[in-house]
Amino acid sequence: MCFPADKPLRLDGGGVLAPLEIAYKTYGRLNADRSNAVLVCHALTGDQHAASPHPITGKPGWWDRVIGPGLPLDPARYFIICSNVIGGCMGSTGPSSVNPATGKPWGLSFPMITIGDMARAQAMLIEALGIETLFAVVGGSMGGMQVLRWAADYPEKLFSAVCIAAAARHSAQNIAFHEVGRQAIMADPDWRGGDYLSHGVRPEKGLAVARMAAHITYLSEAALQRKFGRELQRDGLSWGFDADFQVESYLRHQGAAFVDRFDANSYLYITRALDYFDLAADVDGQLARAFERARHVKFCVLSFSSDWLYPTAESRDVVRALNAAGCRASFAEIETDKGHDAFFLDEPQLDASLRGFLNAQAEARGLT
């Protein structure tokens, strides 16, 4: 959906995006009273193709085990919306888009963005679709941060909210990992100061290394040990720097596959938006105050026991703040050794928690 120049997106950092393009996908149908809309917010490297084949990779949607017939988010019951965040690279306005002022890709002239800006753009989309109130906003990881931002900024537009494997702010450790990835990209000779598209090249090696480093944080030590251990990729050692171990080959594959579908500058901007995220910063460091207007919203907060990227303690902080603000919040720590990425994987307890919460809220909402 294109928003013309007279409907600009004003950014937290002082910039403005106009015109603005927001790419999105929908699943199911909006009911007569427009009460069954669910916004699904994607994580750092996701996009709008939550439950449909990816147009570049051909792989199934990143959440097709949650969205579909008979699944927790059933299109027969809900009208499900998933948009590519601003700053992204799958159709929404981002650094690889054309700057209307120059006729060239934005590159590093693209304005800095925040999680709040992402939610603000989504709110523009929801309004343009004629939806006054969302039945639910749901997301994991960076998507969960968008959920929290929605609850703080647009509580009047929410009936319920599900925050999975997220936190109210980015930790120093997370900022550090992101900085390693950004430096890997910017050290690639093909990055060209962010102007690589104009030179017909891409910093593929740097972006692949960034993805490899980040992917380690999405898994747990137990998951890596169970999947790979110290198993060799071939018979015997290479006595060199080939991928001797299966875990090395796995990471190299993850890096190589990632560069085919993601833009390096988008990675820089979105990781920076994550680093800047601190929901309590706007309310004098008192997180509960961020949720004071959301007392009517029903919350579900979920974490994973083996997630060290956004550990359970950070989800508990969110729940305590919600309770202090007088909000109704259910919480569950899901026991799993799969790490942060468990919300993408076959995790029956997650499915049961999502289904139970959404069914209860749908009944309260009068959805059949």
Side-chain angles (χ1 to χ4, degrees):
M1 180 176 291
C2 184
F3 294 87
D6 62 351
K7 293 184 178 180
L9 174 65
R10 302 192 182 280
L11 306 175
D12 288 337
V16 175
L17 289 178
L20 172 70
E21 188 77 28
I22 300 178
Y24 69 101
K25 294 281 292 184
T26 65
Y27 310 91
R29 299 182 65 180
L30 193 61
N31 61 10
D33 59 2
R34 300 175 178 267
S35 63
N36 69 333
V38 176
L39 176 66
V40 171
C41 303
H42 69 73
L44 166 57
T45 62
D47 51 45
Q48 67 270 34
H49 300 283
S52 50
H54 197 280
I56 294 176
T57 67
K59 293 182 178 180
W62 57 267
W63 229 17
D64 68 344
R65 49 169 302 281
V66 169
I67 302 171
L71 298 176
L73 285 173
D74 191 333
R77 188 179 207 179
Y78 306 114
F79 178 60
I80 302 152
I81 309 155
C82 186
S83 65
N84 186 210
V85 297
I86 59 163
C89 51
M90 283 301 296
S92 291
T93 301
S96 60
S97 304
V98 173
N99 180 349
T102 65
K104 299 178 180 179
W106 280 94
L108 289 196
S109 64
F110 192 73
M112 298 303 294
I113 56 171
T114 66
I115 300 296
D117 295 330
M118 296 176 187
R120 192 173 300 114
Q122 291 162 345
M124 290 173 62
L125 172 65
I126 296 304
E127 181 179 355
L129 292 174
I131 299 168
E132 292 186 2
T133 305
L134 291 166
F135 164 67
V137 57
V138 183
S141 192
M142 187 182 84
M145 294 180 179
Q146 294 166 63
V147 170
L148 296 179
R149 193 76 261 180
W150 264 87
D153 294 351
Y154 306 103
E156 72 283 355
K157 297 181 181 292
L158 296 182
F159 184 81
S160 63
V162 182
C163 174
I164 307 169
R169 65 175 183 174
H170 233 211
S171 69
Q173 176 178 260
N174 293 340
I175 294 170
F177 271 106
H178 279 172
E179 177 62 2
V180 170
R182 288 191 294 265
Q183 288 299 320
I185 291 170
M186 292 187 286
D188 189 316
D190 283 337
W191 184 59
R192 306 289 180 92
D195 194 32
Y196 49 88
L197 292 177
S198 296
H199 291 85
V201 296
R202 294 190 302 157
E204 294 184 353
K205 292 180 179 179
L207 181 57
V209 171
R211 173 63 169 176
M212 290 167 67
H215 199 74
I216 296 170
T217 71
Y218 305 152
L219 305 173
S220 68
E221 193 280 334
L224 283 170
Q225 186 64 30
R226 183 183 69 250
K227 292 177 68 173
F228 306 110
R230 288 182 54 85
E231 294 297 317
L232 296 176
Q233 182 68 9
R234 63 183 68 80
D235 293 336
L237 300 173
S238 70
W239 299 106
F241 297 104
D242 290 338
D244 282 342
F245 297 96
Q246 288 184 7
V247 67
E248 293 176 312
S249 179
Y250 170 75
L251 289 175
R252 292 186 186 191
H253 170 74
Q254 289 292 328
F258 185 60
V259 302
D260 291 334
R261 67 174 181 86
F262 215 83
D263 176 66
N265 283 337
S266 281
Y267 195 88
L268 299 181
Y269 276 85
I270 296 174
T271 57
R272 205 51 165 163
L274 278 164
D275 293 346
Y276 285 162
F277 183 66
D278 183 351
L279 200 61
D282 299 336
V283 285
D284 298 324
Q286 301 177 49
L287 183 58
R289 287 182 53 195
F291 303 119
E292 285 179 344
R293 296 190 298 122
R295 293 189 178 99
H296 66 283
V297 179
K298 290 84 170 177
F299 290 89
C300 177
V301 180
L302 302 172
S303 69
F304 301 115
S305 59
S306 56
D307 185 352
W308 59 277
L309 184 64
Y310 300 117
T312 292
E314 296 185 341
S315 289
R316 292 189 188 277
D317 288 342
V318 171
V319 174
R320 280 192 286 267
L322 288 168
N323 290 337
C327 300
R328 289 169 286 181
S330 61
F331 169 71
E333 180 187 45
I334 296 170
E335 291 292 330
T336 177
D337 71 351
K338 296 173 183 174
H340 179 67
D341 262 6
F343 71 96
F344 291 126
L345 307 173
D346 182 17
E347 197 57 67
Q349 192 178 347
L350 171 63
D351 297 347
S353 297
L354 278 174
R355 191 188 303 275
F357 176 79
L358 292 171
N359 283 349
Q361 301 315 315
E363 184 176 345
R365 181 76 160 170
L367 300 181
T368 56

